[in-house]
């Protein structure tokens, strides 16, 4: 069945049998790796380096940093790391787009740690901006591992009142790298006097840049303007994301001197190691029936379930708890401590099924997630990419199941333009 036939089969007005499922099978991992394409745009782009040993030889990377990479499981660089690390090691500004789970965090941490080299007691010299506190804490853990034995210290904000009191210029000097969400950072910058100073920032990293550039209630563009100004004109900037947006690309081209744009694979597509199922469930009641049917067939944990709102997450949590499933939920109504405890329990295997909202759809790396269920239809192809990117990470295989109802059919048209693109890339 080709993509055109699939589009006709699932277009508005079609007759459906229950359940109706279309599956995208993952490619063989070895053949997929050979087909990875790295595209670069810019002047005098440094060559991609296929091993960390070559990076060490070419750019004199610290032996301690090399050892930390090895301890953290980085035996050879991923495609984004082969190109982004050399670009940043040359202190070039970068706009990088690579699939979820492709190693983007290490791609910017390695050159930043190399350039900072050692603690200078000057305060923050690198700033990493993340859209959520969960992603910020994950980046902090990765940064701490890579900085071991080098002496650099990283920090992320926890309780805002304590940070407001703690981060005066003198006390903040012992930290070198700040990892923060825009809202909390801007709050501290707007105190009189500012509770945090960014005058010495050498590197400003925007992680999940497409999300952070969004406007409106869920976007952070206004906050980013304040952060840019606080960092001053000499800070080198790097934009990283799993999805490509024209707006971020245009802004980067206009504002970043000597920019190098790096794209791994095809823009705005899912990783080829994830099997993707689309299941028609008729109506809202059909979602719960389909969910229970999946449970009866046997779920292999860990499993992530995405819903559009915290209210719906709470409702599904009540249903699955009643069914005796080892499940928990994470959403914005829970305290930070509750969220941290839930994430920790899920990582440790104490929770098998985690219900979440879009909060967890960005960047969070749960090792070995076997299944992602889109209980509610994603609002966009970008959202879909980030959600299912929680599985099939670092070359592992995974599966994603997306439910859709009659009410979702208007969105289905737009969605299938994206899905047909995936079919074309995978099978042509």
């Amino acid at each position: 069945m080709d993509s055109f036939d699939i589009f006709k089969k699932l277009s508005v007005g079609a007759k459906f049998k229950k359940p109706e499922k279309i599956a995208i099978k993952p490619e063989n991992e070895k053949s997929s790796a050979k087909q990875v394409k790295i595209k670069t745009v810019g002047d005098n782009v440094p060559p991609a380096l296929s091993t960390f040993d070559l990076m060490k030889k070419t750019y004199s990377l610290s032996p301690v940093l090399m050892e930390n990479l090895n301890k953290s499981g980085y035996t050879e660089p991923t495609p984004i790391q082969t190109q982004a690390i050399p670009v940043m090691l040359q202190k070039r500004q970068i706009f990088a787009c690579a699939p979820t789970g492709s190693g983007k965090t290490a791609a910017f941490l390695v050159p930043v740690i190399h350039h900072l080299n050692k603690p200078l007691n000057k305060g923050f010299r690198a700033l990493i901006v993340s859209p959520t506190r969960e992603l910020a804490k994950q980046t902090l853990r990765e940064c701490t591992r890579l900085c071991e034995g080098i002496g650099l210290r990283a920090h992320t904000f926890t309780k805002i009142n304590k940070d407001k009191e703690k981060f005066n210029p003198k006390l903040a000097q012992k930290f070198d790298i700040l990892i923060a969400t825009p809202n909390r950072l801007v709050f501290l910058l707007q105190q009189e006097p500012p509770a945090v100073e960014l005058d010495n920032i050498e590197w400003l990293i925007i992680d999940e840049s497409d999300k952070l550039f969004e406007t409106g209630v869920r976007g952070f563009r206004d906050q980013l303007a304040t952060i840019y100004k606080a960092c001053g004109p000499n800070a080198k900037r790097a934009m990283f994301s799993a999805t490509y947006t024209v707006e971020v690309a245009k802004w980067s081209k206009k504002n970043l001197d000597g920019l190098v744009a790096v794209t791994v694979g095809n823009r705005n597509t899912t990783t080829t190691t994830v099997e993707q199922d689309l299941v028609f469930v008729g109506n809202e009641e059909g979602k719960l029936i389909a969910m229970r049917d999946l449970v009866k067939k046997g779920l292999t944990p860990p499993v992530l379930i995405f819903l559009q709102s915290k209210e719906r997450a709470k409702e599904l949590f009540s249903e699955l708890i009643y069914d005796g499933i080892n499940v928990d939920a994470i959403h914005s109504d829970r305290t930070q401590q509750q969220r941290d405890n839930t994430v920790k329990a899920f990582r440790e295997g104490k929770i098998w099924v985690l219900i979440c909202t879009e909060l967890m759809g960005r960047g969070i790396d749960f090792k070995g997630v076997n299944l992602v269920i889109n209980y509610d239809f994603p609002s966009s192809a970008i959202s879909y990419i980030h959600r299912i990117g929680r599985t099939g990470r670092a070359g592992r295989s995974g599966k994603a199941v997306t439910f859709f109802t009659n009410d979702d059919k208007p969105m289905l048209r737009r969605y299938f333009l994206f899905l047909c693109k995936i079919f074309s890339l995978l099978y042509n």
Side-chain angles (χ1 to χ4, degrees):
M1 182 183 296
D2 63 24
S3 57
F4 180 71
D5 291 331
I6 294 168
F7 181 77
K8 287 193 298 181
K9 189 176 182 68
L10 294 176
S11 59
V12 174
K15 299 294 185 181
F16 294 94
K17 296 178 181 179
K18 186 179 179 180
E20 186 77 28
K21 180 172 74 172
I22 297 298
I24 302 176
K25 296 292 183 180
E27 287 188 21
N28 176 273
E29 292 180 18
K30 292 184 179 179
S31 64
S32 175
K34 293 179 181 179
Q35 297 173 11
V36 171
K37 298 177 182 178
I38 304 175
K39 302 174 185 176
T40 60
V41 178
D43 297 328
N44 301 315
V45 178
L49 298 177
S50 59
T51 68
F52 287 120
D53 285 337
L54 281 174
M55 294 182 194
K56 177 183 178 182
K57 181 178 179 181
T58 306
Y59 295 100
S60 302
L61 288 182
S62 157
V64 178
L65 179 54
M66 293 293 294
E67 183 180 352
N68 290 343
L69 279 168
N70 189 56
K71 288 180 180 178
S72 298
Y74 296 104
T75 55
E76 59 182 32
T78 63
I80 185 60
Q81 292 165 5
T82 64
Q83 187 63 78
I85 291 177
V87 168
M88 292 181 66
L89 286 174
Q90 289 193 2
K91 295 188 177 181
R92 300 283 297 277
Q93 302 192 100
I94 187 172
F95 170 47
C97 180
T100 56
S102 59
K104 291 185 292 295
T105 303
F108 60 72
L109 283 178
V110 169
V112 165
I113 293 169
H114 171 77
H115 287 143
L116 298 187
N117 188 31
K118 60 182 180 181
L120 298 180
N121 295 322
K122 292 173 59 177
F124 297 119
R125 291 184 287 146
L127 171 61
I128 301 167
V129 182
S130 300
T132 66
R133 284 173 283 180
E134 283 73 21
L135 181 55
K137 289 187 175 183
Q138 177 179 291
T139 303
L140 176 66
R141 288 193 296 271
E142 188 76 4
C143 185
T144 300
R145 284 196 294 264
L146 293 178
C147 286
E148 186 177 347
I150 296 174
L152 297 173
R153 296 188 62 183
H155 178 77
T156 190
F157 299 136
T158 51
K159 296 182 179 179
I160 199 67
N161 290 330
K162 288 186 177 180
D163 284 317
K164 179 180 176 181
E165 178 182 346
K166 181 178 182 181
F167 282 97
N168 60 65
K170 291 183 179 179
L171 293 179
Q173 286 181 354
K174 62 181 180 179
F175 294 105
D176 306 279
I177 301 171
L178 176 60
I179 305 164
T181 57
N183 283 336
R184 290 196 171 202
L185 181 55
V186 168
F187 174 81
L188 293 173
L189 287 171
Q190 291 177 340
Q191 301 304 304
E192 290 294 343
V196 60
E197 291 189 355
L198 304 177
D199 297 343
N200 295 315
I201 293 296
E202 300 173 26
W203 274 105
L204 171 58
I205 312 296
I206 308 299
D207 197 8
E208 302 292 350
S209 57
D210 62 327
K211 175 64 178 176
L212 292 174
F213 264 73
E214 289 179 4
T215 57
V217 177
R218 294 189 176 185
F220 297 93
R221 188 159 184 164
D222 292 341
Q223 290 94 327
L224 284 182
T226 301
I227 295 168
Y228 292 150
K229 184 177 180 180
C231 290
N234 296 323
K236 297 292 184 182
R237 296 169 184 172
M239 308 286 181
F240 281 79
S241 185
T243 48
Y244 176 96
T245 62
V246 173
E247 185 178 22
V248 180
K250 285 183 176 179
W251 185 94
S252 299
K253 185 176 181 180
K254 179 180 179 180
N255 294 282
L256 303 183
D257 295 333
L259 176 70
V260 175
V262 178
T263 303
V264 173
N266 295 282
R267 292 173 179 170
N268 295 352
T269 57
T270 59
T271 177
T272 56
T273 61
V274 178
E275 177 184 343
Q276 301 166 56
D277 289 354
L278 185 65
V279 180
F280 176 70
V281 296
N283 51 31
E284 279 298 315
E285 290 74 17
K287 290 183 180 181
L288 191 56
I289 294 171
M291 182 69 233
R292 285 172 170 153
D293 187 50
L294 286 175
V295 173
K296 287 179 182 178
K297 291 178 180 178
L299 296 178
T300 303
V303 178
L304 282 174
I305 304 177
F306 282 101
L307 291 95
Q308 290 289 63
S309 69
K310 60 190 177 185
E311 290 77 19
R312 291 181 56 75
K314 293 175 185 177
E315 291 171 3
L316 182 60
F317 172 74
S318 298
E319 292 286 351
L320 297 187
I321 277 287
Y322 179 80
D323 291 345
I325 298 171
N326 184 3
V327 62
D328 205 344
I330 184 169
H331 46 74
S332 59
D333 269 0
R334 306 197 72 179
T335 67
Q336 187 59 45
Q337 186 62 52
Q338 288 173 327
R339 285 158 58 175
D340 290 345
N341 291 340
T342 300
V343 169
K344 182 180 179 182
F346 188 65
R347 290 185 188 279
E348 294 175 349
K350 297 176 182 178
I351 296 170
W352 293 358
V353 178
L354 181 59
I355 299 170
C356 48
T357 60
E358 211 68 29
L359 175 76
M360 303 299 291
R362 291 276 178 165
I364 299 297
D365 186 11
F366 292 118
K367 302 298 183 184
V369 169
N370 290 305
L371 175 64
V372 168
I373 300 172
N374 287 313
Y375 193 88
D376 287 344
F377 200 84
S379 58
S380 67
I382 298 297
S383 174
Y384 178 81
I385 291 169
H386 284 282
R387 285 185 182 188
I388 76 165
R390 300 316 98 208
T391 187
R393 299 177 72 81
R396 301 180 183 90
S397 62
K399 185 174 181 178
V401 176
T402 300
F403 297 155
F404 74 100
T405 68
N406 285 309
D407 292 338
D408 295 320
K409 286 181 180 179
M411 288 191 293
L412 196 62
R413 287 186 181 275
R414 297 193 298 270
Y415 171 84
F416 260 90
L417 293 175
F418 163 72
L419 187 56
C420 290
K421 179 181 177 182
I422 295 177
F423 266 88
S424 176
L425 293 171
L426 292 183
Y427 296 109
N428 291 336

